[in-house]
Amino acid sequence: MQLTILGCHSATPRIDTNPTSQVLQIKNHMFLIDCGEGTQVQLRKAKIKFNRIKHIFISHLHGDHYFGLVGLISTFRLLTRETDLHIYGPKGLKEVITLQMKLAESWTNYKLIFHELTSTKSELIFEDDKVEVHTIPLDHRVYTNGFLFKEKPGERKLDMNAIFNNDIDVAYYRKLKQGADVVDNKGELIKNSELTKAPAPVKIYAFCSDTAYNPSIVPIIKDADVLYHEATFLEKHAHLAPKTKHSTAKEAAEIAKLANVRALILGHYSTRYNDYEDFREEASSVFDNVLLSKDGKSFDFDDLRS
């Protein structure tokens, strides 16, 4: 699992800062999370192949989180895309995008599938045999969801030394990977635990932007490997957080601590700040493993686990 930050700043883009967008690579999926203005340029810079993006998740309908979407959809069309594109986001997103396409007479030559979200409770919105995605209801000025990406457990690993020592026929290898006990060539039943090793632990990523301090999300994101949590303000501007329904770096760290996550990545910085180390310093007073997002930066989850 790898996370690439395309943009991690709030409000208006600047020459050296981009609004929210990121790519999560997980089990051969390339998920795009939010799509602020300039996302497709950032995708180019990161050398991410456009045709690998088949699912886009939009947290809410504030422009710094989706104004790049119609441009990206249009570029897919110009590149003669044929693969279906699934878009998950608040109700109203389909209306906005299709109106722009209608007025421009620029309908896609690929299938555009909207999954509009309205529930205020966490729900499963995507699932296949390797990954599942759940919403994380957030507390913002408009209907907003974060997203929890979770690997499904893999197959058990064969312990070849034990298999050879117990004279297990190759025909049983598939059953062993699936967790079954098997019979050796002598007709004796051998427990699966004696012949296999546990699969690698599943990885979990929680994306939470934008939101006010909201402890109700803790049970949903509990024990995640990585939490990306907005930190729009520093404590010296904490009085602005309740008014705008955003969080401070310290509040993000408190959520990380309550949820017992392994690592916290801060982002969605207000453009009023220039020194982002101040965010790390404030959050580190509450939670130990604090990382700073940066446009163009990638995080490998295996490295964060070590």
Side-chain angles (χ1 to χ4, degrees):
M1 191 184 289
Q2 184 180 64
L3 178 70
T4 300
I5 306 294
L6 303 176
C8 58
H9 298 80
S10 65
T12 56
R14 298 187 297 185
I15 293 175
D16 57 348
T17 67
N18 293 275
T20 301
S21 186
Q22 49 187 250
V23 170
L24 181 69
Q25 297 183 57
I26 172 175
K27 295 292 187 180
N28 295 321
H29 286 292
M30 187 79 77
F31 291 146
L32 180 65
I33 309 169
D34 276 349
C35 190
E37 184 179 347
T39 290
Q40 59 181 314
V41 174
Q42 291 298 99
L43 285 168
R44 295 283 193 196
K45 290 180 179 179
K47 298 182 179 180
I48 293 172
K49 294 181 179 179
F50 284 19
N51 61 2
R52 289 197 61 196
I53 298 172
K54 298 176 183 178
H55 302 86
I56 300 176
F57 299 85
I58 302 297
S59 61
H60 64 296
L61 296 184
H62 281 163
D64 56 332
H65 293 260
Y66 86 100
F67 275 176
L69 182 56
V70 72
L72 184 61
I73 289 171
S74 177
T75 295
F76 284 156
R77 173 178 174 270
L78 295 174
L79 294 175
T80 64
R81 179 190 180 105
E82 297 181 355
T83 307
D84 294 353
L85 180 64
H86 293 262
I87 301 176
Y88 305 79
K91 184 176 181 180
L93 181 60
K94 179 179 180 180
E95 180 182 0
V96 171
I97 298 300
T98 54
L99 177 60
Q100 290 176 297
M101 294 165 59
K102 175 183 176 182
L103 295 178
E105 298 183 7
S106 298
W107 297 108
T108 61
N109 51 322
Y110 57 91
K111 197 170 183 181
L112 195 57
I113 305 166
F114 287 90
H115 304 263
E116 293 195 298
L117 308 175
T118 59
S119 178
T120 57
K121 296 181 179 180
S122 180
E123 60 179 341
L124 177 68
I125 58 173
F126 172 82
E127 182 179 24
D128 64 10
D129 60 338
K130 294 182 178 180
V131 180
E132 57 186 44
V133 183
H134 298 256
T135 57
I136 306 171
L138 300 177
D139 181 13
H140 195 42
R141 301 194 305 279
V142 297
Y143 176 76
T144 305
N145 285 300
F147 302 103
L148 185 81
F149 302 86
K150 184 177 182 180
E151 294 178 339
K152 289 188 174 180
E155 293 182 330
R156 295 188 64 82
K157 299 178 181 179
L158 300 179
D159 184 339
M160 297 310 299
N161 287 331
I163 286 173
F164 291 142
N165 290 337
N166 284 277
D167 196 20
I168 303 298
D169 193 282
V170 68
Y172 290 118
Y173 286 7
R174 184 62 183 164
K175 285 188 174 182
L176 283 172
K177 289 181 179 180
Q178 295 172 342
D181 298 335
V182 297
V183 176
D184 65 13
N185 287 330
K186 297 177 183 178
E188 296 179 1
L189 185 67
I190 309 297
K191 291 184 177 180
N192 186 277
S193 59
E194 297 179 19
L195 302 170
T196 66
K197 300 176 182 178
V202 299
K203 299 185 186 74
I204 303 173
Y205 173 57
F207 169 85
C208 296
S209 183
D210 301 2
T211 184
Y213 178 68
N214 184 19
S216 69
I217 69 173
V218 168
I220 303 171
I221 66 174
K222 191 75 172 175
D223 299 325
D225 288 85
V226 179
L227 166 64
Y228 175 95
H229 196 290
E230 76 125 284
T232 306
F233 301 112
L234 294 173
E235 282 300 300
K236 62 185 177 182
H237 295 118
H239 63 283
L240 297 175
K243 298 177 183 178
T244 58
K245 292 283 188 175
H246 284 297
S247 300
T248 66
K250 186 176 180 180
E251 288 173 332
E254 289 171 352
I255 294 294
K257 184 176 182 179
L258 288 171
N260 191 40
V261 302
R262 290 174 181 258
L264 168 65
I265 301 176
L266 299 178
H268 201 263
Y269 317 114
S270 168
T271 51
R272 62 170 38 85
Y273 304 110
N274 293 313
D275 188 356
Y276 301 120
E277 283 297 326
D278 291 341
F279 287 83
R280 191 204 306 268
E281 183 177 339
E282 285 196 359
S284 294
S285 68
V286 176
F287 184 78
D288 289 335
N289 193 9
V290 179
L291 306 166
L292 297 178
S293 57
K294 181 180 179 182
D295 294 2
K297 184 173 183 179
S298 292
F299 298 90
D300 189 298
F301 282 41
D302 287 329
D303 292 341
L304 296 179
R305 274 183 162 181
S306 59

